[in-house]
Amino acid sequence: MFTRTLAAVAALAAFTAPALADDNRGTEFRLGVTAHDLSDHVEDGPNYTIGAYFASPDFLDFIWSPRPYLYGSFNSNSLTNFGAAGLDWTFDLTENLHINVGSGISYNDGVRDIDRTAPANDPNRIRLATTRSLMGEHWLFHTTFGMDYDISETVSIGVYYEHISHGQILGNGRNQALDNAGVRIGYRFGR
């Protein structure tokens, strides 16, 4: 599952990056690590993250010039991994301090639900219910909030929170979702 998610994120990045690379406002790559599944504490292990944030194309100027992004989050214990794509808005607090708000769609390789027809004492049902977040759907919304500080013209450090769930819109029923929070380092070029 991890390999499929990574391959999907890489393919989407390779397909999208050339169309946006000529924009003089820059492209940014971010690497991070997050604490995984903060709300339920069922899944554990940190997630390693990678994101590509592209310069906002002119046709998005009317909605405050969000940056398109591609993102991957990979669990160190081979639990739920996910990839996402969406838009990220940056708001300057000072010359070097920025708030980021992102919204997009994600795909995860997690467990959708337990087999409700299995007996209550079924070992597989018990294992899944006690060790995995039950996502409800594979396609989920991806929402992020972050704060980054520019330590140079090209490098930033930051903290962020992310949430993936279907919000009873992309699915119904089970919706344990995932909440992750962590730190990241960014590198910008092409400005």
Side-chain angles (χ1 to χ4, degrees), residues 40-86:
D40 290 332
H41 305 292
V42 176
E43 296 190 359
D44 58 6
N47 274 32
Y48 302 107
T49 67
I50 184 168
Y53 296 76
F54 305 101
S56 182
D58 292 339
F59 70 87
L60 293 178
D61 288 351
F62 78 101
I63 55 171
W64 304 287
S65 303
R67 300 169 70 191
Y69 72 84
L70 298 171
Y71 179 81
S73 182
F74 308 98
N75 186 260
S76 60
N77 287 339
S78 299
L79 297 173
T80 301
N81 307 294
F82 64 93

Side-chain angles (χ1 to χ4, degrees), residues 52-172:
Y53 296 76
F54 305 101
S56 182
D58 292 339
F59 70 87
L60 293 178
D61 288 351
F62 78 101
I63 55 171
W64 304 287
S65 303
R67 300 169 70 191
Y69 72 84
L70 298 171
Y71 179 81
S73 182
F74 308 98
N75 186 260
S76 60
N77 287 339
S78 299
L79 297 173
T80 301
N81 307 294
F82 64 93
L87 298 174
D88 185 77
W89 286 262
T90 299
F91 302 100
D92 298 335
L93 295 177
T94 68
E95 185 178 341
N96 291 346
L97 187 62
H98 319 282
I99 291 179
N100 305 101
V101 179
S103 182
I105 298 292
S106 69
Y107 181 84
N108 72 84
D109 63 2
V111 176
R112 289 179 67 192
D113 205 345
I114 56 176
D115 180 0
R116 294 176 188 259
T117 63
N121 63 351
D122 177 62
N124 190 50
R125 180 179 174 156
I126 293 169
R127 179 185 62 80
L128 289 177
T130 58
T131 64
R132 299 299 301 269
S133 287
L134 305 175
M135 306 305 293
E137 297 293 336
H138 290 297
W139 289 99
L140 303 172
F141 293 112
H142 180 239
T143 306
T144 62
F145 301 97
M147 184 177 292
D148 294 300
Y149 183 79
D150 295 337
I151 57 178
S152 74
E153 286 190 17
T154 57
V155 178
S156 65
I157 56 173
V159 295
Y160 68 108
Y161 162 83
E162 65 186 350
H163 175 78
I164 62 170
S165 77
H166 63 63
Q168 303 299 326
I169 297 170
L170 295 177
N172 55 36

